[in-house]
Amino acid sequence: MERLRIGSLAFVATVLLALSSLTSAAIIKVPADQPTIQAGINAASDYDTVLVAPGTYTGTGNRDISFLGKSVKLISEEGTEVTIIDCQSTSQEPHRGALFDDYETSQALMRGFTIKNASEAIRAYRSSPTIRNCVLGENTVVGLVCKTNCNSLVDSVTVSGCSSSGLWIQQSSPTFTSCEIASNYGGMYCLSSDSVTMIGCDFLNNSNVPYKGGAIYTEQRNRIYLTDCVFKGNTAGSATVIYVDYRSVPSHISMSGCRLEANEATGGSYSLFDIRNCTFRATDCVFQRNGLMEASAAFLMQLLDGSASLFRRCTFVDNYGILMYAASDSPVELDSCIITRNQSWEAVVYVHSGLTVTNCTFVRNYMRSSDWVPTTIMSGDEQTIMTNTIIAFTQNSFPLYADPAPTLNCCNFYGNTAGDWLYYSDQLGANGNVSIDPMFCNLEGGSYYLRVSSPCAPANNECVAQIGALGIGCCGDANGDGILGNGADMMYVLYYIFASGPTPDPVAEADTDCSGFVDIDDVVYIILNIFAGGPEPCAGCE
């Protein structure tokens, strides 16, 4: 009991000491208390706040600002629009905005400043400061340098207008949240960094023409994790979005919930991703309107030198060029992806390595070649395995050419203008393979969910499996006129329920609320959809 009492007293003393350090923290105002920002930091102790009034700060003491290893908060009173550090840097006399090089921790905070005309707006070396709500750039060479064991949190920071790279990350593991990297000569350069994490960040209109890596350039081994990020309007000679340089030690890049739109390559051998010796994972990502149609050798993804790639629940729509080109040592796996309205000269997917396609929907892609009949998927050298996949309504193309012959299970090839089972007619009718209209909810409107009566729905095929990327998502055509859930369907169901009218074919078309029964609730469901903006019939049915 005595030991417990002494331990408790020690704990209380520790808490009181910590609280006293916080309550005694001072606020030092610039320029009211100290004439320059550096003078404010010089006068501060750990946990003090240096509060900077609106204004443009220049000259000695207001640039090359060092935190001196202190856990100090440097905060502007009124934010980035009115609190500006102008470094007035030149090539002959370079200056930084702020420097963290004395093992500062996350307790060192910089918030609410615009830094411009700098050689480096902020440099963190062997330090991990917290950077929030800053604007870095405008005639600056590099926006943020994070080098050698820099594990900073960088939140709500805009890096723009840098003449070199917006971000330079080397041998560090920083985390970026809600940042914008825009209009730089190269968005981010990574070198030998173990864990670069970016959440909710936007890479916009960065350019590295005529070189590689408009948004991200990586060299040597790196591990990069991108979540809910946007890549839009970036350009480069090649590898517009991401370039992974080959090294003997593999890199890793993971993308989740990202959107990649309107990125363009301009060089001789065009690509948006040039991935070498890297495990690449993309989950729940959207790739839209990327590429360059004038180039017959344009690749959205170029996967080389032992890169293993997995795309899960991704959507590729309205892109130009071959979506994926993989060399013989770079296997590709597609799982539950939608590939639609893309245009290419040769193939949508062109793989020389192992290709595995599961529960994917390829629909309404367009092959532009006039010299030969191209194919949606071309693979060679290693085995192609395709399961529960739809390839439908492709223009000027047939679904698949593979050597050696592919293994096809529960696939539906239908409505492709150059033929459906052209080379593999021996597999049609075997292992659940069919050639039947998949009955999408709205082919013209781009909704590739299945109607309840679709042969690709589990209840309607011998595989008892969902074929394609999406399951049942619509019904309501009770009267069989091809229009879902309109007033005529409502009257048809009413007549069926109360006046012994004809039975809907199939009955499930009338079960609009997915209850398993056709009753007055289904009529109400249709009425709410038509007149009150309620959900589509059968939305969310399993």
Side-chain angles (χ1 to χ4, degrees):
M1 181 66 71
E2 182 69 19
R3 181 179 301 173
L4 177 62
R5 187 176 67 83
I6 293 173
S8 300
L9 289 174
F11 172 75
V12 170
T14 301
V15 171
L16 291 174
L17 181 62
L19 289 174
S20 66
S21 68
L22 293 175
T23 55
S24 63
I27 296 177
I28 300 168
K29 294 186 176 182
V30 174
D33 298 328
Q34 295 292 337
T36 66
I37 297 172
Q38 187 64 65
I41 293 176
N42 292 347
S45 301
D46 284 346
Y47 311 112
D48 286 351
T49 297
V50 177
L51 191 62
V52 180
T56 298
Y57 293 83
T58 62
T60 302
N62 292 314
R63 62 191 182 193
D64 302 313
I65 300 163
S66 174
F67 271 56
L68 306 172
K70 298 179 181 181
S71 295
V72 170
K73 297 179 177 65
L74 178 62
I75 300 174
S76 70
E77 284 185 353
E78 297 188 22
T80 58
E81 292 186 2
V82 293
T83 315
I84 300 165
I85 297 172
D86 186 347
C87 299
Q88 299 176 324
S89 178
T90 66
S91 57
Q92 292 77 29
E93 189 178 338
H95 293 283
R96 300 183 178 99
L99 175 64
F100 301 86
D101 68 346
D102 200 5
Y103 301 98
E104 286 87 356
T105 70
S106 60
Q107 296 297 316
L109 168 69
M110 188 170 189
R111 188 179 79 197
F113 293 88
T114 291
I115 302 177
K116 66 180 185 178
N117 298 319
S119 60
E120 298 167 347
I122 296 176
R123 181 181 182 86
Y125 173 66
R126 298 181 305 186
S127 300
S128 300
T130 300
I131 313 297
R132 294 186 186 274
N133 302 101
C134 289
V135 176
L136 314 178
E138 189 180 335
N139 298 320
T140 290
V141 179
V142 180
L144 172 63
V145 176
C146 195
K147 186 175 181 181
T148 310
N149 299 323
C150 166
N151 303 320
S152 288
L153 170 63
V154 182
D155 175 61
S156 302
V157 170
T158 297
V159 182
S160 65
C162 296
S163 60
S164 184
S165 185
L167 305 174
W168 183 296
I169 315 298
Q170 183 172 344
Q171 295 176 327
S172 295
S173 299
T175 297
F176 296 83
T177 59
S178 303
C179 292
E180 181 177 298
I181 299 92
S183 302
N184 302 289
Y185 195 74
M188 178 171 72
Y189 173 79
C190 288
L191 174 65
S192 301
S193 292
D194 286 334
S195 180
V196 179
T197 301
M198 311 200 80
I199 302 171
C201 295
D202 296 344
F203 288 79
L204 309 175
N205 303 314
N206 299 286
S207 177
N208 203 17
V209 176
Y211 306 108
K212 298 180 179 181
I216 298 176
Y217 186 110
T218 77
E219 193 170 358
Q220 299 185 18
R221 180 187 60 81
N222 295 275
R223 300 182 69 84
I224 301 174
Y225 303 90
L226 305 162
T227 302
D228 298 331
C229 293
V230 173
F231 294 81
K232 185 174 183 179
N234 300 286
T235 60
S238 186
T240 300
V241 178
I242 297 178
Y243 175 70
V244 179
D245 188 35
Y246 175 78
R247 286 294 185 269
S248 58
V249 179
S251 292
H252 174 82
I253 295 178
S254 174
M255 306 180 76
S256 178
C258 294
R259 185 173 188 88
L260 301 96
E261 182 178 356
N263 301 285
E264 184 175 294
T266 63
S269 178
Y270 310 113
S271 66
L272 299 184
F273 289 75
D274 193 334
I275 308 296
R276 300 166 184 264
N277 195 21
C278 174
T279 56
F280 183 87
R281 301 288 181 267
T283 305
D284 298 315
C285 294
V286 176
F287 301 79
Q288 184 171 17
R289 295 193 302 111
N290 300 287
L292 187 64
M293 194 63 244
E294 287 76 11
S296 60
F299 309 116
L300 186 71
M301 298 273 180
Q302 186 168 232
L303 308 163
L304 307 171
D305 299 322
S307 294
S309 302
L310 168 63
F311 300 86
R312 175 169 287 137
R313 296 188 304 275
C314 292
T315 298
F316 299 84
V317 56
D318 294 330
N319 299 288
Y320 298 94
I322 296 172
L323 294 185
M324 297 170 203
Y325 173 82
S328 58
D329 56 358
S330 299
V332 175
E333 182 177 351
L334 301 173
D335 180 12
S336 304
C337 293
I338 299 172
I339 298 95
T340 180
R341 302 201 311 257
N342 302 286
Q343 297 186 43
S344 177
W345 290 95
E346 296 183 66
V348 174
V349 176
Y350 193 165
V351 176
H352 287 285
S353 55
L355 174 63
T356 302
V357 182
T358 306
N359 282 105
C360 289
T361 297
F362 293 77
V363 58
R364 301 192 75 190
N365 296 291
Y366 177 52
M367 304 297 112
R368 296 175 61 94
S369 176
S370 59
D371 298 330
W372 66 89
V373 178
T375 176
T376 303
I377 298 175
M378 181 176 290
S379 66
D381 298 342
E382 296 185 32
Q383 184 71 40
T384 296
I385 301 173
M386 185 177 296
T387 306
N388 300 343
T389 290
I390 299 171
I391 303 179
F393 305 112
T394 308
Q395 298 182 54
N396 195 31
S397 173
F398 56 91
L400 170 67
Y401 180 80
D403 185 14
T407 298
L408 306 173
N409 294 290
C410 304
C411 292
N412 187 3
F413 299 167
Y414 177 82
N416 303 285
T417 59
D420 294 319
W421 291 86
L422 191 63
Y423 290 101
Y424 308 107
S425 58
D426 60 320
Q427 298 199 49
L428 176 60
N431 301 317
N433 296 313
V434 297
S435 184
I436 309 174
D437 185 346
M439 298 178 66
F440 296 119
C441 287
N442 188 347
L443 177 64
E444 296 301 321
S447 175
Y448 305 127
Y449 283 95
L450 305 175
R451 291 180 57 176
V452 70
S453 52
S454 167
C456 298
N460 304 324
N461 62 70
E462 68 176 69
C463 300
V464 195
Q466 175 186 306
I467 300 175
L470 302 174
I472 295 171
C474 61
C475 66
D477 185 18
N479 65 354
D481 66 356
I483 302 173
L484 302 177
N486 60 6
D489 294 306
M490 177 183 67
M491 297 305 299
Y492 196 95
V493 176
L494 281 170
Y495 192 48
Y496 166 69
I497 295 171
F498 295 110
S500 300
T503 303
D505 185 17
V507 174
E509 284 285 354
D511 182 20
T512 57
D513 65 354
C514 312
S515 68
F517 303 94
V518 177
D519 52 26
I520 192 62
D521 290 340
D522 298 300
V523 177
V524 173
Y525 199 97
I526 295 174
I527 292 171
L528 291 174
N529 171 248
I530 296 173
F531 298 108
E536 295 288 333
C538 291
C541 287
E542 294 297 329

